[in-house]
Amino acid sequence: MLPTQRQGNMKRRLAEFFRFANVSLLATVVDYGIGYLLTHTGLTSIVVATGIGHLSGMIVGFFLNKYWVFRDTSSRETTTQLVRYVVVSLGNGLLNTLGVWGLNQLGVDNYWVVRILVGTTVFVFYSYVFTRAFVFMRKSRPVV
């Protein structure tokens, strides 16, 4: 591969990552917003609110990731991708919930501090890698 081809591939991958980050930000706003409302209206605990908020963000994230981030317009693989996305998202939700629980057990109970610290860690080390490699791994997928 020529250096200019590598640079082009790197730019496309970086653009894809930034689209993923934007979708994740939007899904996170949905997730945290619902969790915050549930927690601060007294409807549920921080741990349960984390799970419910995550499910809401997951729905937003799947469709935007499929059609905008990874530019997959095929309907043929949607069901399989959705199942894989749910598996990755459940892992994401589990990691977030366990992280929130762990920090809460250590006495950190500020909703925003706990959620942002845990959520950022899970995003950087888990979400993009598994979504790209496991959910939307079609070889025929355009890179742009």
Side-chain angles (χ1 to χ4, degrees), residues 30-111:
V30 171
D31 176 345
Y32 287 21
I34 288 173
Y36 181 80
L37 288 172
L38 290 172
T39 301
H40 285 80
T41 56
L43 293 173
T44 189
S45 71
I46 188 174
V47 176
V48 173
T50 298
I52 293 170
H54 178 74
L55 179 62
S56 303
M58 182 176 66
I59 293 165
V60 169
F62 174 75
F63 288 103
L64 289 175
N65 276 312
K66 177 173 177 61
Y67 295 108
W68 185 53
V69 174
F70 298 105
R71 315 260 174 155
D72 187 342
T73 57
S74 73
S75 58
R76 183 178 34 157
E77 297 182 33
T78 300
T79 302
T80 302
Q81 290 168 333
L82 181 58
V83 169
R84 288 178 177 164
Y85 191 83
V86 167
V87 169
V88 170
S89 290
L90 288 173
N92 186 313
L94 180 63
L95 290 171
N96 274 283
T97 304
L98 288 173
V100 166
W101 177 82
L103 288 179
N104 194 250
Q105 292 299 304
L106 293 172
V108 183
D109 62 358
N110 181 295
Y111 181 83

Side-chain angles (χ1 to χ4, degrees), residues 107-122:
V108 183
D109 62 358
N110 181 295
Y111 181 83
W112 294 114
V113 170
V114 170
R115 291 301 311 276
I116 289 170
L117 182 63
V118 172
T120 301
T121 303
V122 171

Side-chain angles (χ1 to χ4, degrees), residues 1-15 143:
M1 186 179 295
L2 298 172
T4 55
Q5 288 174 318
R6 272 187 244 143
Q7 288 173 341
N9 287 340
M10 183 64 111
K11 285 181 182 180
R12 285 189 291 276
R13 182 71 61 88
L14 193 57
V143 192

Side-chain angles (χ1 to χ4, degrees), residues 17 20 24 92 95-96 116-130:
F17 178 79
F20 184 82
S24 294
N92 186 313
L95 290 171
N96 274 283
I116 289 170
L117 182 63
V118 172
T120 301
T121 303
V122 171
F123 174 79
V124 169
F125 294 104
Y126 176 83
S127 296
Y128 177 71
V129 173
F130 281 89

Side-chain angles (χ1 to χ4, degrees), residues 12-29:
R12 285 189 291 276
R13 182 71 61 88
L14 193 57
E16 178 184 86
F17 178 79
F18 281 117
R19 287 191 307 269
F20 184 82
N22 284 321
V23 166
S24 294
L25 180 60
L26 178 60
T28 299
V29 167

